[in-house]
Amino acid sequence: MGKYYSLDRNADFALCQNRTNGTLTYPQCQILCGSGVDLWPFDEITGRFTLWLFPAVVLVAHFHYAPISFLNTCAITLHHLSSPIDSMHSLIIRLELQRRCLHLAEKVLQKNRENQENRNNPFQGDLHQDSRHLAAIWCAYDELGFSVTQGDIKEPRDNREWLLAKEAAYRLTTNRTESQRPTWVAVIGYLGALIGAFVRTKTTRDNNQTSHTIALVSLLSYFVALVLISSTIGVFRSVPDTLDVLQQLHRDVVKHRGVPEEPLFPKLQRYSQAQVAPWDPARLSPGSKPLRKNTNIEDQNTSPSVQDTENLRNWLTVAPWTGMNSSWRPYKTMHITVKARNRNPWLLFLCSFAFVLIGSYFPAIILSLYSGSVGFGCRCLAWTFIAIAWVLSLVIDNTMKTFIPSAKRLWSCTVAKDFIFSTFIVGTILSIQIGFLNTCYCRANVITSGINGTLTLKGFSEDEWNRNWVVWPTATVSGFFVMLAFGYLVHILDIDRRGKWWRFKFANGILCKGERERDDDLLGIGELRRKCQGDAPSEATTSHARRTFCTAQSASSRLPYHKPTMSVDETPLSDTEGIEMAETPNR
């Protein structure tokens, strides 16, 4: 008997199939067919890539990547391949945080408007719409690296502050892209590839190896949930425009109030690459002083416009590890809690774990288990190694964030780790599709059956065919629905109790609104602007704010979309101003 496994291309199963009509043992297969590999024909290899892997590439391309750089897009794609559990966990944490911001805003506004002392508030708008405007602003802060806490969300004091907040929220939502329809088209295309794999297996009944392709399509189906969740959250079209909106909102509110006090919306400080800060803001004790920006004579002599340009350039450089990438969020603790409406963080983690292992891995294992000779063979072992790589990658991710304090260094180490794991996963898939597992050793399942393992070169018998056509569709459809349920449906379904009844609705991302919703917001802004123009001046600060912000050009020159005129605050930062957000992904 020859070698157990050899890379020599001395096997020919097509020729060997004509020499025998029955079942061969593993030693007989080595003698008659050869001990090496029999690579698939070139036309079959290209057909597999065209029919099944190309739709997967199209699906991955519909993921909503942050508009930072091409290298950032490549790094996030590697993270999806090597650590899908962490990618999904990060996405649903962001979606849950957006939901909590909305629920907290509703709670704050409802409490203030029910309070006897606040009944004289001149602004009494729709509670849900007002809450969504405030939540949209704070969700934008989260994506720019600001860690939103329980006490951050407050209600604006008067009509003018509400006008400024609604204008900012409108500009943020018009700068958002979600593209649900093209995403669903890509998902349907991928499902078409899965159906095509079944059709090809049906038409090539004489070849009992083609059903392994269905296993590969099922293994990569987790991209469906990743892409759908990313389309629900959306992404900003222009990151500098988002930064400009929040900076301008902060300046407008501060000037309107006219007195130095705690602002309604915080100031996004300058980003510096020189200072190394911990990526986890929770490491700072509650009583500790925030990090300060180190200024020097060169900074003091620099004009505000030059500082603004430099700050914007620095922010775009540190953006990959400061929160803009929704699928890379090492700091997953949420500081917002709304009782009876929170989703348990452990439940979110278990959903991320289940949607990959139960929804993608187990269907692939079952499909390969019942393809060719029944048993745990080389392809089952390959899918198992890939699943182990996913779990090991998750363990390494959580270990690195414990020992690496710098966000930039953590990002670099994660990219390097993802490159190594992705190379292994992609190499394993390509080797299978080319035919390196098309050997007597793998066909006879020698891994579990030993040298007494058998294989059949002919097609399935009638009993095997009927059995497999029950097992294959059942495993594939069940795994797909488990993946879709734990990876998508559970997270977009919002449950709210109204009296004795429970209300179920499908929730979208807070920053994602349809055209009709944005048109209604624009009409509401116009009505509120007219109220502001009709308000009589009282004190000097109110008169100054009205002259500055309640003009007809306060929003019409920027709606629905505008290029940023100034990226950060016009005034230079002092030695004691603000928290430095150098390399922290959340604060």
Side-chain angles (χ1 to χ4, degrees), residues 57-72:
V57 174
V58 174
L59 181 65
V60 173
H62 280 78
F63 185 88
H64 286 64
Y65 295 96
I68 299 175
S69 65
F70 175 75
L71 293 179
N72 179 79

Side-chain angles (χ1 to χ4, degrees), residues 510-527:
I510 303 301
L511 286 162
C512 299
K513 290 186 176 182
E515 293 184 4
R516 185 169 183 178
E517 291 180 296
R518 291 197 295 265
D519 292 342
D520 293 340
D521 291 343
L522 188 58
L523 293 176
I525 290 174
E527 294 177 1

Side-chain angles (χ1 to χ4, degrees), residues 15-16 30 197 204 207 212 228 231 257 294 348 371 388 391 395 407 427 462 471 481 513 534 584:
L15 179 62
C16 186
Q30 284 191 313
T204 57
N207 188 346
H212 288 294
L228 288 176
S231 67
R257 294 191 172 184
N294 296 324
L348 300 180
S371 296
I388 293 175
V391 176
V395 173
E462 193 66 28
V471 175
F481 276 104
K513 290 186 176 182
T584 59

Side-chain angles (χ1 to χ4, degrees), residues 428-450:
T428 302
I429 293 175
L430 292 179
S431 63
I432 293 175
Q433 296 306 304
I434 293 175
F436 282 100
L437 298 186
N438 190 25
T439 65
C440 292
Y441 182 86
C442 292
R443 285 196 172 204
N445 297 329
V446 179
I447 296 176
T448 55
S449 302

Side-chain angles (χ1 to χ4, degrees), residues 167-197:
E167 287 177 348
Y170 180 82
R171 293 195 294 272
L172 290 173
T173 54
T174 54
N175 187 25
R176 198 75 170 180
T177 176
E178 48 168 340
S179 64
Q180 290 275 3
R181 293 179 182 176
T183 300
W184 276 106
V185 170
V187 171
I188 293 174
Y190 189 78
L191 294 179
L194 185 60
I195 296 174

Side-chain angles (χ1 to χ4, degrees), residues 59 82 96 160 253 262 292 304 337 378 402 476-477 496-497 545 557:
L59 181 65
S82 64
E96 173 65 15
R160 290 188 177 88
V253 174
E262 183 180 358
R292 304 296 181 181
T337 58
C378 296
T402 304
T476 304
V477 174
D496 186 17
R497 185 171 184 176
S557 62

